[in-house]
Structure formats: C-alpha cells, structure tokens
Amino acid sequence: MDEREKRAYLRRLPSVEEVLRQLALKDPVSPPPRAVWVDSVRQVLERRRQRILGAGKGEELEETSGNLSEILSEVMAMASWRLRPHLRRVINATGVVLHTNLGRALLSKGALDRLLEVGGHYSNLEYDLENGSRGSRHVHVEGLLCQLTGAEAAMVVNNNAAAVLLALNTLAEGKEVIVSRGELVEIGGSFRLPDVMRKAGAQLTEVGTTNRTHLSDYEGAIRSETALLLKVHASNYRILGFTAEVSLVELAVLARRYGLPVMEDLGSGALVDLSRRGLQKEPLVMESIKAGADLVTFSGDKLLGGPQAGIAVGRREYIGRLKGNPLARAVRVDKFTLAALEATLRSYLDEDEVWEEIPALRMLALTQEELRIRAEELVAQVRERARDRLLVSWEEGYSEAGGGSLPLVEIPTIVLAVSSRFMTAEAMEERLRAHDPPVLGRVKGDRTLLDLRTVLEGELKELADALIHLASEDP
Ligand SMILES: *Cc1c(COP(=O)(O)O)cnc(C)c1O
C-alpha cells in the first residue's frame, strides 16, 4: 500500500462525531456515560488509523477498515468492557474451597439478604432501641458467639490478624509472650507471628524446639516480665515424626498457677465437628474455651463460612480490655460484616441445617457420588456440542479446604479433565481465564483439570458454555 492509498483509507474513516451520532441513533437500552462513549470511539478509530499508517508496502488492508457498522460494534464492545466492574465474580474450579485469592468463603443466602437490608437502610448499628440512646456495635453478635462457643464474652474486628494484634497489644505491650518454636507460623506471606508480636509491642520468648516442646520449657521461661502464654494453630503445615506439644489444658493449668492468661490463635476455628461428615476433625472453638483458654481468636471467613472478620471470644475481663484499647477503633468491623456474620452464626443454631445453608460447609460435604452425577452430565453436554475439538472426561482427584484449615488433608473429589489437539493446556487455561465469567482451573501435564466441588450448581451451565466456546475458537 502506498501513501496515496493510505490517505484514501484514512479519509474513509468516519469522524468521532459521526460515530457518536450513529450510536445515538441505535438508541441502546442503557447507554454508558458520554465520556465512556467518546473515549471508546476515539480509541477504536485511533487503532484503525494506526493500522492503516503501519501497513507495509505490499500489504493490502481489508475493505472493511472504514466500515461503520463494524466500528459501531467494536465501540460498543469496548464501552461495555470499560464499564465492567474490576472486582467481579469468577468460577472457581480449583477445588480449593476457602481460596484466599478468590475471596475465601461464599456467604449464605441468609447473610446476603441481610447485606441488602442493612446496606440499603439505616440501622441500629450503634443505637440502643430500648433506651433511645447510643449503643454498641458489639452487641449484635456477642450473645450468639457466647452461646455457640461457651465463652463469657466476645468481640469482632476486621480480620483474625487484627484480632491477634489487638489481643497481643492489649495483654502484653512492653511485656513477654511465651510461644513454642513449633508454632511460630507464617500465614500467606504477610502474617508472621514474630512480626505481629513486634508490631503489638510485645516481646517474643521462644521455647522448646521445632519438633518438641514440653510443659517444663514453658514453665522454665516464665519470669516477672511474662504477660501471656500463647498457643498458635499450625494452620498450613504439620510437624511429623518425633514430636511433642503441650496441650491447651496443660498450658491453662500452668498459666493459672502463675496467675497468667493463656490465649489460643485458632486460625480457622470450627463451630461444628467436621468429622461428623467424614472430614478430618478441625479444632472446635468451644473445645478451646472448655480447655481453659482465656482468649481464643479465629477468622470469620475460613471454616466458619461467613464474611471476613476476626473473632475474639473468652473471659469478660480480657474481652473488656480489648474493647477499651484505642487500637480497637482502628480495626473495627463494619455494618456489612456484622449483618452477614449475625446471619451466618444464626445458621449454626441448627446443627443439621448449617450444612445446607453455609456454602463452605455444603461444598466440603459434597460426596464423590454427587459430584460424579454432575460430572457425567457436563461431559455429555460438552462432548455433544464440542465434538472432536475437545477431549473431555471425568476422573477422581483431590480438593483442599484451603484458608489454612485442614492442612494437608486431601478430600476425594471428581474433576473434569479437558485437553485439545488444537491447543496446549496452558493456552486453554489462559483462554478459560479470559472468558466471561472467568473460569479458573488447574493445569496438570497436558490437561486442564476442573474440580466440580467448588463450582456452584447455578454455574455448571456457564462452565459447559465456556468449554463449548473454547472448542469453537480458532486454534
Ligand atoms: C488465617 C490465620 C490468621 C489470619 O487470619 P485472617 O482472618 O486471614 O486475618 C492468623 N492466625 C492463624 C493461625 C491463621 O490460620
């Protein structure tokens, strides 16, 4: 293409005003803000201009480069892409139920309803309706938490990291906290117990060895500067082999003898016994209270299956001091969290219903048999419509609880295994990720594995559509 031809092509491009006029004539149902239209038109036209200018000598451009209807649909696609929320839903086919990068726990239907009501209306967040005076935001869930855990008092903050920080600062600022060397955990990179301890102004006293810590180690380290004995749940690792750890009961007895409090950071902390549904048991919050912990902290969005929150339960005296710490204001929980948490906790009042209502528990309890039925249906659908362009089958695999709960426990599951002669598993994974809604799976060898445990029932059709769309794309 020579300069003269290029100029002719450029002249054939419509002006921004012309495209905008045509868009207005199309009269879309809910047009985007004008600024988005204008930006999109400019960008689409500029792209075409660059393509014309960049065309090589012998290169021919398509006749359609100035085609108005093509430009219009390109502009509309770009505008809707720009208006799409940045934080959006994805289909989690990784099999990790509490996936921290994918938002951890999904909320129950009841919790979602409460979010709409409390978010769209005024509420008694800090207002005492009985006395017509200022109230406390803590009261909305404190009673439920005490009832479900057997604790005297409770408080909720932004997340469990904040609960641990607040507790250490309140109980041990300028003093020493004794922790076993086997429990100095790092969770997800940014939460490292020794660092949190330092930021809380407390001094860490490590006792025992990595694999074995005895009661005498704790006792030998107690000094007049000691303020707290701390036990931390090894959320994401296990120490196996020649090991010894001190039970919470023994630690509580020792602490009492020296007039010290004992705290446990449970991490996940379950409110129902998972072993009842064939899963491995995770420590229960009420067991820690019963064993004599003065303070127990855990997350709201791990096994509890609620909103992001940090929950502290324990003796009234210590919870009262936590509430009075000026830091409490900086880590305080918002009304959405309280609304969703209250509904989530209410589900636990019925020990059977809770397995139906809380998505995380429902997913964890799904049997291979139930998953196999879904898998067979999906495989049939995709095979019929994707023909020979995709190889789809189902097989047994393993899911994970995630979120530092049930570490190393492999939960038997059913996965779809997808491969294609036309693309690598990596390319397939990438395309599924670019789909709307994005589908996230795992690559294993030359196949993409999609775990159905974490795919909601209402998403199965979308998953099938994503695969069929994949099969229809050019290699
Ligand atoms: C997950 C975890 C935390 C951090 O909880 P967040 O709610 O993510 O802030 C702290 N301690 C332990 C032991 C954990 O497992």
Side-chain angles (χ1 to χ4, degrees):
M1 201 153 78
D2 59 27
E3 290 309 312
R4 196 177 47 81
E5 280 176 295
K6 283 187 184 181
R7 277 198 300 276
Y9 265 103
L10 287 175
R11 267 199 307 276
R12 250 177 280 155
L13 282 182
S15 67
V16 173
E17 278 64 37
E18 173 61 12
V19 179
L20 287 172
R21 210 165 25 246
Q22 293 296 329
L23 283 169
L25 289 179
K26 277 188 138 9
D27 198 19
V29 188
S30 48
R34 190 180 152 81
V36 175
W37 267 150
V38 174
D39 265 2
S40 306
V41 174
R42 288 219 172 99
Q43 203 171 329
V44 166
L45 291 179
E46 183 55 27
R47 251 200 238 158
R48 289 183 178 237
R49 206 167 287 128
Q50 291 306 328
R51 216 180 304 144
I52 295 168
L53 292 173
K57 257 214 158 354
E59 202 177 330
E60 286 301 313
L61 272 186
E62 290 170 46
E63 270 310 305
T64 57
S65 76
N67 182 311
L68 192 58
S69 76
E70 237 182 55
I71 289 175
L72 290 180
S73 52
E74 215 174 295
V75 168
M76 285 188 285
M78 177 169 299
S80 71
W81 189 81
R82 284 184 171 209
L83 287 174
R84 202 173 57 184
H86 199 274
L87 178 61
R88 58 206 179 106
R89 76 180 177 104
V90 302
I91 294 180
N92 174 9
T94 65
V96 181
V97 178
L98 300 165
H99 198 305
T100 298
N101 303 145
L102 305 184
R104 285 203 191 151
L106 306 189
L107 294 180
S108 67
K109 171 83 175 53
L112 292 170
D113 288 346
R114 305 292 300 125
L115 284 183
L116 282 182
E117 177 167 329
V118 168
H121 299 266
Y122 290 106
S123 63
N124 61 337
L125 179 63
E126 287 188 349
Y127 188 77
D128 183 335
L129 288 171
E130 231 161 89
N131 300 313
S133 58
R134 194 194 146 95
S136 154
R137 69 176 62 213
H138 297 300
V139 301
H140 306 296
V141 290
E142 187 162 13
L144 273 167
L145 282 167
C146 292
Q147 186 180 350
L148 291 167
T149 64
E152 289 174 6
M155 125 178 244
V156 181
V157 294
N158 182 57
N159 58 9
N160 188 34
V164 174
L165 177 75
L166 179 65
L168 291 176
N169 178 262
T170 308
L171 302 183
E173 189 177 17
K175 299 238 175 81
E176 292 178 8
V177 179
I178 304 179
V179 189
S180 159
R181 287 200 169 87
E183 298 175 2
L184 294 174
V185 298
E186 169 179 315
I187 287 129
S190 52
F191 181 93
R192 301 178 111 192
L193 198 69
D195 298 342
V196 176
M197 191 80 78
R198 199 166 36 249
K199 284 294 178 193
Q203 197 178 329
L204 172 64
T205 303
E206 301 172 27
V207 295
T209 59
T210 305
N211 58 328
R212 291 172 70 83
T213 302
H214 306 282
L215 193 62
S216 55
D217 294 325
Y218 285 95
E219 186 160 16
I222 294 177
R223 316 189 301 151
S224 59
E225 291 81 3
T226 306
L228 178 70
L229 305 187
L230 175 65
K231 209 168 161 49
V232 183
H233 182 48
S235 294
N236 42 15
Y237 67 102
R238 281 274 177 277
I239 296 175
L240 301 170
F242 186 54
T243 67
E245 70 171 307
V246 178
S247 74
L248 185 61
V249 175
E250 293 171 280
L251 215 52
V253 171
L254 177 71
R256 206 124 308 138
R257 259 203 356 256
Y258 286 88
L260 291 168
V262 58
M263 163 176 156
E264 180 165 42
D265 173 14
L266 264 187
S268 195
L271 293 183
V272 284
D273 187 350
L274 301 185
S275 64
R276 291 236 197 131
R277 302 277 165 141
L279 295 155
Q280 185 163 310
K281 186 167 171 166
E282 181 75 1
L284 293 167
V285 179
M286 54 274 257
E287 287 173 347
S288 296
I289 293 293
K290 209 182 235 167
D294 296 291
L295 207 55
V296 181
T297 67
F298 54 102
S299 292
D301 55 353
K302 290 187 182 173
L303 279 176
L304 182 62
Q308 176 190 306
I311 301 168
V313 298
R315 294 212 188 280
R316 191 167 292 117
E317 176 202 342
Y318 298 117
I319 296 289
R321 282 171 59 192
L322 257 57
K323 287 177 184 168
N325 186 330
L327 254 189
R329 172 63 195 254
V331 296
R332 85 174 175 187
V333 66
D334 74 331
K335 60 185 177 184
F336 300 110
T337 306
L338 285 169
L341 185 61
E342 184 185 5
T344 305
L345 292 170
R346 264 184 216 287
S347 290
Y348 280 90
L349 296 176
D350 185 326
E351 273 206 43
D352 292 314
E353 275 300 301
V354 73
W355 287 92
E356 291 304 314
E357 291 177 8
I358 304 295
L361 295 180
R362 194 166 63 221
M363 285 178 184
L364 284 170
L366 279 171
T367 62
Q368 269 187 313
E369 183 57 23
E370 290 169 282
L371 293 169
R372 192 180 51 76
I373 293 169
R374 292 182 191 179
E376 277 175 354
E377 199 162 303
L378 265 177
V379 167
Q381 269 184 46
V382 177
R383 273 194 192 151
E384 189 189 344
R385 293 176 50 201
R387 301 291 159 123
D388 57 346
R389 294 183 60 89
L390 279 187
L391 292 169
V392 197
S393 58
W394 62 265
E395 62 190 44
E396 298 191 351
Y398 294 101
S399 314
E400 289 170 51
S405 41
L406 304 176
L408 313 189
V409 175
E410 294 185 319
I411 305 165
T413 192
I414 298 292
V415 298
L416 286 193
V418 193
S419 61
S420 162
R421 284 183 287 120
F422 301 99
M423 63 185 111
T424 63
E426 283 77 16
M428 185 182 295
E429 186 271 342
E430 200 173 303
R431 287 187 190 193
L432 286 172
R433 197 154 31 85
H435 189 77
D436 189 20
V439 175
L440 306 179
R442 254 181 311 144
V443 170
K444 194 174 174 201
D446 57 353
R447 302 173 318 154
T448 302
L449 300 185
L450 303 169
D451 190 332
L452 295 186
R453 180 178 300 280
T454 44
V455 178
L456 299 173
E457 261 191 292
E459 293 170 342
L460 290 171
K461 184 173 176 312
E462 288 177 311
L463 180 58
D465 288 346
L467 291 172
I468 290 156
H469 183 252
L470 192 71
S472 71
E473 283 181 350
D474 288 334

